[in-house]
Amino acid sequence: MSLSKIAKLLNDGQPSQEVEVAGWVRTKRESKQSFAFLELNDGSSMTGLQVIVDDAVPGFADSIKAITTGASVRVAGKLQESPGKGQRIELHAARLNVLGTADAQTYPLQKKRHSFEFLREIAHLRPRTNTFGAIARVRNALCAAIHNFFQSRGFLYIHTPVITTSDCEGAGTMFQVTTLDLAKLAQLKTEIDYGQDFFGKQASLTVSGQLEAEIFACSTGDCYTFGPTFRAENSNTTRHLAEFWMVEPEMPFYELKDNMDLAETFIRTILSDVLVACPEDMEFFNLRIEKTILETLRNIIDNDFIRLPYTEAIEILEKSGQEFEFPISWGVDLQSEHERFLTEQHFQQPVILYDYPRGIKPFYMRCNDDGKTVRAMDVLVPRVGEIIGGSQREERLDVLTERMQECGLEAEDYWWYLDLRRYGSVPHSGFGLGLERTLLLLTGMANIRDVIPFPRTPKNAEF
RNA sequence: UCCCCGAUAGCUCAAUCGGUAGAGCGAGCGGCUGUUAACCGCUAGGUUCAAGGUUCGAGUCCUUGUCGGGGAGCCA
């Protein structure tokens, strides 16, 4: 007999049905009248299956004694309607095998509340909790929704390299990749010769797949990358990771407005898909993590985003009468207090800011005719802040090289990127969505370290 | 990296002016029970983050370090 998933049995299991399940015991409620209740969870759903074991089961006494919170068991038996409250059906065991015990004296996950900080220290066990099981399922559903969104629109999934030798957009400090003997080099105290390194030049982990995605946008058409991204910034916040996952679509013939339209449809679609795919987990987040999360998501899904040029945002902030720690004026980048004011107080919904001053944005963004702004756009959402950053790309060779000089970049380092403008250049656009930030938005979780299975942050790469 | 706060039982926290280290949860044992955050009783459980200093005496005060949390910057 093959194993059934508990999620499926809870959903459509019928009384008298013979089934076999396996999983981990969450709680045992023992009766001295020769039977016990087990709550069994196999990770397929939030709710576990109630298992009734009585002394007709071979080895009953020994098994029940061996079972504690965290033990793994395999149970065969018959489903029955449950006379108790709280569940439709339950499993009456005929056979029970204890696969692995969990010493209650040392097993850290006992049946009590644990802080997220504590659970972070036992990242190898935390997926066995309600919250982290739900996060794993929601994260999976979100990834599926993302692929589905692009696949259903004919976008190609492009695998851009994780190791790169181009300093991309200068978007933050990069992790160096090397096979050079660092201990030896430290002793020699000479200039490092990267010609001797594995790739014959300095290499790093990617900070963005955008430049490579542009290659495919300008050949095979609409495409997206979706993979891990690395930033060696010493960021210690609830919204930054050294290793995070980013979705980066890139579309030829899209101008800024098309880009914003896609970004907005994209966010609303994937949020909506996850609500449909994970109703039980989302209910849990709404109940236990953030009381307004479902309402907030509904509001985002059902209403158009606000679209606001940077210049108008500055005017709103200047007229707001708010006391800001960082004074606002045209030309400075918005601080998070400003973003929060716009999304959480003034508009109380997602805001797409666009047409930013060229001085605060990278070289590849298309210059507007006013000579002052570029066709950049950021999607800001309540509670999380910036969730998407994107732009129309500069497709004019002369303007692009000029901008690179302005930003202090060497044209020869980007020869292949410039070739895209030299041969058959087209207007094109794209954006990057932070997967973990989207999960913060979706789940109401407060710390980004809790929505990725194994967080990488300064001083932390255990597991 | 900067600012603020913290580190005491397995977990979450208390400990008054510097004077014998406490509770809840969890765990163990017993009882009770178609239970479900089970319930009732009892018991065990401590190098107070580390190193140094002040003091008759330090969980408590001082210095340095490590780690954690919140905020800021960098950004997705």
Side-chain angles (χ1 to χ4, degrees):
Chain A
M1 187 193 283
S2 64
L3 288 174
S4 300
K5 293 284 184 204
I6 287 173
K8 186 164 165 49
L9 296 183
L10 291 175
N11 196 42
D12 56 21
Q14 293 304 316
S16 303
Q17 190 181 340
E18 298 269 357
V19 299
E20 187 161 7
V21 295
W24 295 266
V25 173
R26 286 288 177 84
T27 67
K28 172 181 73 172
R29 293 181 289 274
E30 219 176 326
S31 169
K32 283 296 176 288
Q33 295 187 340
S34 63
F35 69 104
F37 299 94
L38 304 180
E39 192 190 323
L40 193 66
N41 191 290
D42 66 358
S44 61
S45 65
M46 171 75 56
T47 310
L49 180 65
Q50 174 159 286
V51 179
I52 286 81
V53 190
D54 62 27
D55 58 3
V57 173
F60 168 75
D62 288 346
S63 294
I64 289 303
K65 193 165 170 51
I67 291 170
T68 56
T69 296
S72 50
V73 298
R74 184 170 177 134
V75 193
K78 202 178 272 190
L79 292 181
Q80 298 292 356
E81 265 180 58
S82 177
K85 286 177 182 160
Q87 59 277 319
R88 181 179 65 89
I89 52 158
E90 60 190 21
L91 174 61
H92 289 245
R95 279 186 294 114
L96 169 72
N97 289 324
V98 179
L99 302 176
T101 57
D103 179 9
Q105 294 294 338
T106 57
Y107 185 59
L109 284 182
Q110 292 303 334
K111 46 179 177 181
K112 71 182 289 286
R113 233 189 223 293
H114 296 288
S115 66
F116 292 142
E117 291 79 22
F118 172 65
L119 292 173
R120 221 172 280 151
E121 293 170 5
I122 48 168
H124 59 309
L125 296 173
R126 67 178 182 170
R128 298 187 188 187
T129 64
N130 285 337
T131 303
F132 288 91
I135 290 166
R137 288 183 293 271
V138 166
R139 187 180 170 109
N140 174 69
L142 176 61
C143 292
I146 287 166
H147 280 298
N148 188 45
F149 179 87
F150 290 120
Q151 292 296 324
S152 67
R153 285 168 172 76
F155 282 58
L156 291 193
Y157 179 27
I158 302 296
H159 295 124
T160 52
V162 168
I163 299 174
T164 171
T165 56
S166 63
D167 182 8
C168 279
E169 40 184 304
T173 323
M174 304 174 85
F175 286 102
Q176 197 176 330
V177 175
T178 183
T179 53
L180 294 173
D181 186 336
L182 297 179
K184 203 184 251 175
L185 285 174
Q187 285 176 343
L188 290 176
K189 290 178 183 163
T190 54
E191 194 90 336
I192 295 169
D193 178 11
Y194 285 107
Q196 301 298 313
D197 205 349
F198 189 90
F199 296 105
K201 54 161 110 171
Q202 202 169 353
S204 308
L205 295 179
T206 185
V207 294
S208 165
Q210 178 201 316
L211 301 191
E212 288 90 352
E214 285 186 50
I215 293 173
F216 279 82
C218 297
S219 49
T220 52
D222 295 340
C223 68
Y224 67 108
T225 75
F226 186 5
T229 310
F230 308 88
R231 305 276 164 92
E233 297 289 344
N234 190 10
S235 298
N236 292 286
T237 79
T238 53
R239 295 181 305 281
H240 291 85
L241 290 164
E243 176 180 311
F244 64 98
W245 284 64
M246 190 153 64
V247 184
E248 296 176 284
E250 196 68 36
M251 298 75 63
F253 320 115
Y254 271 51
E255 302 204 354
L256 185 67
K257 184 184 177 300
D258 309 307
N259 203 24
M260 292 192 283
D261 289 347
L262 187 77
E264 180 171 344
T265 308
F266 177 53
I267 290 178
R268 290 161 68 178
T269 304
I270 59 179
L271 294 185
S272 169
D273 286 359
V274 172
L275 289 185
V276 171
C278 304
E280 191 189 21
D281 293 322
M282 293 307 303
E283 200 60 55
F284 173 84
F285 290 121
N286 198 54
L287 196 66
R288 294 292 168 86
I289 304 296
E290 165 65 55
K291 295 261 182 278
T292 59
I293 195 69
L294 287 179
E295 188 192 332
T296 302
L297 293 172
R298 273 278 146 239
N299 182 42
I300 293 174
I301 291 166
D302 293 341
N303 295 290
D304 290 344
F305 293 6
I306 303 292
R307 298 194 187 183
L308 193 67
Y310 168 91
T311 303
E312 285 180 30
I314 295 296
E315 283 167 15
I316 289 173
L317 290 165
E318 280 175 337
K319 285 185 201 153
S320 71
Q322 287 278 315
E323 283 283 322
F324 292 117
E325 190 189 338
F326 295 90
I328 194 76
S329 67
W330 199 97
V332 303
D333 210 352
L334 296 189
Q335 307 293 318
S336 39
E337 58 175 338
H338 306 131
E339 297 179 354
R340 272 206 306 276
F341 175 80
L342 291 172
T343 59
E344 291 170 12
Q345 285 180 257
H346 193 79
F347 292 112
Q348 297 186 354
Q349 55 179 306
V351 177
I352 306 183
L353 286 180
Y354 63 97
D355 284 347
Y356 279 75
R358 57 192 279 170
I360 57 172
K361 288 291 179 186
F363 74 96
Y364 53 73
M365 296 189 173
R366 194 184 193 283
C367 294
N368 279 313
D369 295 340
D370 62 12
K372 296 191 298 184
T373 59
V374 291
R375 290 187 191 168
M377 61 114 177
D378 284 354
V379 180
L380 311 177
V381 295
R383 212 170 54 78
V384 180
E386 183 178 346
I387 200 171
I388 276 181
S391 71
Q392 183 176 336
R393 319 307 189 188
E394 183 55 74
E395 84 282 11
R396 298 163 297 184
L397 182 63
D398 53 339
V399 180
L400 185 59
T401 46
E402 199 178 297
R403 276 285 281 158
M404 288 178 69
Q405 270 179 356
E406 205 174 296
C407 298
L409 299 172
E410 293 295 333
E412 60 204 55
D413 293 340
Y414 294 85
W415 65 273
W416 51 266
Y417 190 70
L418 293 171
D419 262 7
L420 301 179
R421 279 71 182 170
R422 203 167 272 129
Y423 309 114
S425 187
V426 293
H428 61 289
S429 302
F431 59 84
L433 170 103
L435 185 75
E436 285 76 19
R437 288 191 180 173
T438 309
L439 278 163
L440 291 181
L441 175 67
L442 254 171
T443 61
M445 293 293 290
N447 195 316
I448 201 164
R449 295 164 198 212
D450 296 328
V451 294
I452 187 167
F454 306 105
R456 296 287 178 261
T457 53
K459 300 271 164 28
N460 192 347
E462 193 71 48
F463 307 103

